[in-house]
Amino acid sequence: MYVAFTLVSCAFFIGIVAWYSYYKTKSTVNSSGGFFLGGRGLTGGFIAGALILTNLSAEQLIGLNGQGYQNNLSSMGWEVTAGFSVIILATILLPKYLGGAFTTLPEFINTRFDHQTRLLIVVLFMVGYGFITIPSVLYSGSLAVIQIFDIPNMFGITYEQSIWIIVWVIGIIGMLYAVLGGLKAIAISDTLNGIGLLIVGILVPILGFIALGDGSMLAGMKTIATEHPEKLNSIGSQQDDVPFGSIFTGMIFANLFYWGTNQYVIQRTLGAKSLAEGQKGALFTGFLKILVPFLMMIPGVIAYHLYGSGLKNMDLAYPTLTKDVFPTFLNGFFLAVLLGAVFSSFNALLNSASTLFVYDIYKVLINKEATDRQMIRVSQWFGVILALITFFISPMLMNAPQGLWTIIRQFTGFFNIPIIAIVLVGIFSKRIPAIGPKIVIISHVIVYYLLIWGLPMFFHYEMTINFIYIQGLLFVIEVLLMIMIGAIKPLSTPYQFKPNPKVDMTPWKYTIPVTVVLFGSMIFTFVLFSPIGLASQENIVSPLFWPVVVALVIVVGVLYYVSLKQWSHKYESTLKQQYNKQLKEELNIEQQGNVITNSLEQSVK
């Protein structure tokens, strides 16, 4: 009876989300623009909902809580510092993307460098999505479902069999949703699922605190602040998975890749109805990411206090806690939210991979005159094939020795660093030729493999520095290499960005003030979870905590006022001048071409 009620209530909540998404998008998926970019009509709220749900899947629920349980809060650096990356996206990258009306990132690479570089970038994305990102989303979702609802005992099967079955069930349902709905349906369902995830994210730590405090939430909160306060420290040492210094090196570039150039993330902002709406969505996402340590790492710390170090695997911390503290009558809702989070990331990845294949391979190499109907149909078939491949890869993550979170971050280093290096060089330089990115892509894959896995495997030598530092070092080397190639063999004609906006390019007037507040919030979060704050060995917080917080509030307040009165106007006028200048240059070139054409015609006559 209990199982039936859980499944029926889960199906009810999922059905509501699916019906509403279909109802709002049933007439918008007949064109390629409607299917792949939501008709360029997404508002800030839907963009933020889609971005956060695309990012926060069971991978975060399982992986981050596992890190909080096993180590401390140093892994929150991946989440909180995302605010810096979305600021770069909102203020610098998005005006370029929307100004050029790009559908995919490789399309921008093609205009800046050449066709071969575009294809290499597509290959990196496809390999990364197919062998790393999509399998990790499916596996982490399956792991959560299996542990929380005890699937092996429920159906009398082994743990390995449960993983394979749940991966395929989740994958098939998500695949059908992805290939039929399009981007706008995904964005709407993400927003609705995001509300559910926020509710669950708040409930679990509250219920965990109550369980830890024997019925008193405040007593539970005091326990984690006074017993083993080092678990609340976000300032990682060299022995932690995320040393604090790595935040300012490799992590910056890895996060910037994810939020600024990763197709399945930026595709939501590319569907914005205007630059202002895209900026709102991106910046609001930065604030939502700051909530992640509270909602998706503190439960892991609570699990440590409840169970000690007795769990078989750190990735079992969150599933075990939710199984013990979450009300059984809400399990259907919880399962729907959990599956919704998995579907959101899975759908987004399939949709973006299909978009890349259709726009950067099919329409470029196979059928240059493809109609909208053909493009949608091909993308759907490609999505099905890619999904089926990942169903076989996902269960292999059971053998990850360092926990799900770390192994995923290591493997994404194969493609994130060269892509962000190439994009930034492409935006901020005009003379670097296409040979530079090609050398970087090929050499990075070889060198990164050797440094992380090849040296220990073949030469029995292991690098003693954290892989995040290695990623940061490779970024610097690869940028310098491209600059050097540009100095030796520069382009004969400097690259000129050609504006072709399809939406209103007026920036949001509060972009810069909100950026200031977001920076301040990021700093406050690190101060809170540090030896100055809740990780203090002296008391709940150290004597320095409140003076630091007051000083931070004053600085943010002053900068907010200055940005509102001065910097916002300068930013808007700079963007307008840049686009007016580029449009004027385009017009002059076109007029010169017309003059030459008219002269030739008169000569012929």
Side-chain angles (χ1 to χ4, degrees):
M1 184 66 183
Y2 156 72
V3 175
F5 176 77
T6 299
L7 294 177
V8 170
S9 56
C10 171
F12 172 75
F13 288 115
I14 290 177
I16 290 176
V17 172
W19 172 82
Y20 185 75
S21 301
Y22 167 77
Y23 173 75
K24 296 293 288 184
T25 62
K26 58 184 178 181
S27 61
T28 65
V29 296
N30 296 322
S31 67
S32 59
F35 188 84
F36 297 110
L37 291 178
R40 298 190 189 271
L42 298 181
T43 58
F46 283 124
I47 291 171
L51 285 174
I52 201 67
L53 251 291
T54 296
N55 172 249
L56 297 181
S57 184
E59 173 195 333
Q60 272 77 11
L61 284 172
I62 300 298
L64 281 176
N65 278 296
Q67 292 293 328
Y69 168 81
Q70 181 86 357
N71 304 309
N72 51 28
L73 300 189
S74 60
S75 290
M76 84 174 201
W78 288 107
E79 306 301 312
V80 176
T81 59
F84 172 78
S85 301
V86 297
I87 287 171
I88 299 298
L89 171 63
T91 56
I92 299 174
L93 299 178
L94 194 56
K96 292 288 187 184
Y97 296 155
L98 292 180
F102 299 117
T103 304
T104 67
L105 180 76
E107 188 179 349
F108 164 74
I109 296 296
N110 184 67
T111 62
R112 172 57 183 88
F113 295 109
D114 65 7
H115 174 63
Q116 288 80 16
T117 309
R118 176 186 197 172
L119 290 179
L120 285 174
I121 294 290
V122 172
V123 170
L124 284 180
F125 272 124
M126 291 300 182
V127 172
Y129 288 171
F131 289 92
I132 302 168
T133 315
I134 298 178
S136 70
V137 167
L138 287 176
Y139 170 71
S140 58
S142 301
L143 181 65
V145 171
I146 287 170
Q147 181 62 26
I148 293 169
F149 297 97
D150 199 9
I151 300 298
N153 287 333
M154 185 182 296
F155 295 100
I157 56 179
T158 66
Y159 176 78
E160 289 76 12
Q161 290 172 334
S162 301
I163 288 287
W164 280 93
I165 292 171
I166 299 301
V167 162
W168 277 76
V169 170
I170 291 177
I172 289 172
I173 297 173
M175 176 182 67
L176 293 174
Y177 199 100
V179 300
L180 297 176
L183 180 65
K184 192 168 185 179
I186 293 173
I188 292 173
S189 65
D190 284 353
T191 304
L192 298 178
N193 286 322
I195 296 171
L197 185 63
L198 183 62
I199 294 171
V200 169
I202 293 172
L203 272 178
V204 170
I206 289 176
L207 295 172
F209 282 132
I210 293 172
L212 184 60
D214 294 324
S216 171
M217 185 176 76
L218 292 178
M221 296 173 72
K222 185 177 180 181
T223 298
I224 71 166
T226 55
E227 298 178 17
H228 301 289
E230 71 277 1
K231 301 289 288 184
L232 298 176
N233 189 14
S234 66
I235 313 299
S237 67
Q238 292 303 316
Q239 287 70 45
D240 288 312
D241 285 333
V242 181
F244 188 66
S246 68
I247 291 175
F248 308 99
T249 54
M251 187 177 293
I252 286 181
F253 308 121
N255 259 337
L256 195 53
F257 157 78
Y258 183 90
W259 294 101
T261 63
N262 196 344
Q263 178 66 29
Y264 93 100
V265 174
I266 66 170
Q267 192 164 331
R268 281 99 194 96
T269 58
L270 296 180
K273 68 183 297 184
S274 66
L275 174 60
E277 292 297 325
Q279 291 175 322
K280 290 177 190 176
L283 292 173
F284 185 51
T285 302
F287 288 102
L288 293 176
K289 290 292 286 181
I290 290 175
L291 297 177
V292 171
F294 300 92
L295 305 183
M296 295 188 179
M297 293 197 77
I298 293 298
V301 177
I302 295 172
Y304 175 82
H305 284 276
L306 285 173
Y307 312 120
S309 56
L311 294 181
K312 182 173 64 174
N313 186 309
M314 63 177 167
D315 289 334
L316 297 177
Y318 188 76
T320 304
L321 178 66
T322 54
K323 182 181 177 182
D324 290 344
V325 305
F326 210 74
T328 54
F329 70 90
L330 286 177
N331 275 349
F333 173 70
F334 179 68
L335 179 59
V337 168
L338 184 62
L339 291 176
V342 177
F343 291 156
S344 294
S345 297
F346 182 65
N347 296 344
L349 284 160
L350 280 186
N351 182 265
S352 295
S354 300
T355 303
L356 288 169
F357 179 79
V358 167
Y359 277 93
D360 297 302
I361 296 178
Y362 177 73
K363 197 169 183 180
V364 173
L365 299 177
I366 302 172
N367 185 0
K368 296 182 180 181
E369 305 299 324
T371 64
D372 285 357
R373 184 178 181 83
Q374 288 174 321
M375 292 170 67
I376 293 173
R377 181 60 58 86
V378 168
S379 76
Q380 291 171 332
W381 278 110
F382 178 80
V384 170
I385 294 170
L386 180 62
L388 291 174
I389 292 172
T390 62
F391 295 169
F392 288 97
I393 298 173
S394 297
M396 297 179 186
L397 288 173
M398 283 187 287
N399 302 316
Q402 296 172 283
L404 185 64
W405 185 253
T406 300
I407 199 70
I408 291 169
R409 292 298 169 273
Q410 286 181 332
F411 271 98
T412 53
F414 272 114
F415 59 95
N416 59 5
I417 296 302
I419 289 177
I420 187 59
I422 290 166
V423 169
L424 292 180
V425 165
I427 288 176
F428 293 107
S429 72
K430 295 183 178 182
R431 292 278 187 179
I432 294 177
I435 187 63
K438 293 172 187 173
I439 293 174
V440 162
I441 291 172
I442 296 170
S443 62
H444 174 89
V445 172
I446 298 171
V447 172
Y448 185 74
Y449 171 77
L450 287 174
L451 292 177
I452 303 298
W453 292 284
L455 291 179
M457 184 180 299
F458 300 114
F459 302 100
H460 307 290
Y461 176 79
E462 191 164 346
M463 299 289 290
T464 56
I465 62 174
N466 190 280
F467 73 93
I468 305 175
Y469 288 122
I470 292 175
Q471 291 180 1
L473 179 62
L474 288 177
F475 173 87
V476 174
I477 292 172
E478 287 159 10
V479 169
L480 292 176
L481 177 61
M482 286 186 281
I483 292 174
M484 187 169 62
I485 291 172
I488 296 172
K489 191 179 179 181
L491 290 172
S492 56
T493 303
Y495 166 75
Q496 289 292 332
F497 174 71
K498 299 177 181 179
N500 182 34
K502 299 290 175 61
V503 296
D504 182 9
M505 292 299 295
T506 304
W508 185 34
K509 64 178 180 179
Y510 294 110
T511 296
I512 305 302
V514 170
T515 292
V516 170
V517 177
L518 181 53
F519 259 123
S521 301
M522 291 163 53
I523 295 171
F524 170 77
T525 306
F526 277 105
V527 171
L528 179 65
F529 295 115
S530 74
I532 294 177
L534 294 174
S536 171
Q537 298 289 337
E538 304 171 14
N539 208 326
I540 292 179
V541 294
S542 76
L544 284 174
F545 177 73
W546 291 112
V548 170
V549 170
V550 170
L552 177 63
V553 170
I554 292 173
V555 171
V556 169
V558 171
L559 293 178
Y560 182 90
Y561 179 81
V562 173
S563 64
L564 190 63
K565 296 297 182 180
Q566 298 181 19
W567 296 344
S568 291
H569 301 296
K570 289 182 179 178
Y571 174 70
E572 183 174 353
S573 62
T574 299
L575 278 185
K576 288 182 177 179
Q577 288 173 5
Q578 182 184 37
Y579 275 92
N580 288 338
K581 178 183 178 182
Q582 289 164 342
L583 287 171
K584 189 178 294 184
E585 289 175 353
E586 286 290 305
L587 183 61
N588 289 337
I589 292 172
E590 184 178 340
Q591 289 174 343
Q592 290 173 6
N594 291 336
V595 170
I596 294 172
T597 302
N598 292 333
S599 299
L600 289 173
E601 289 177 352
Q602 290 175 1
S603 299
V604 170
K605 292 179 182 179

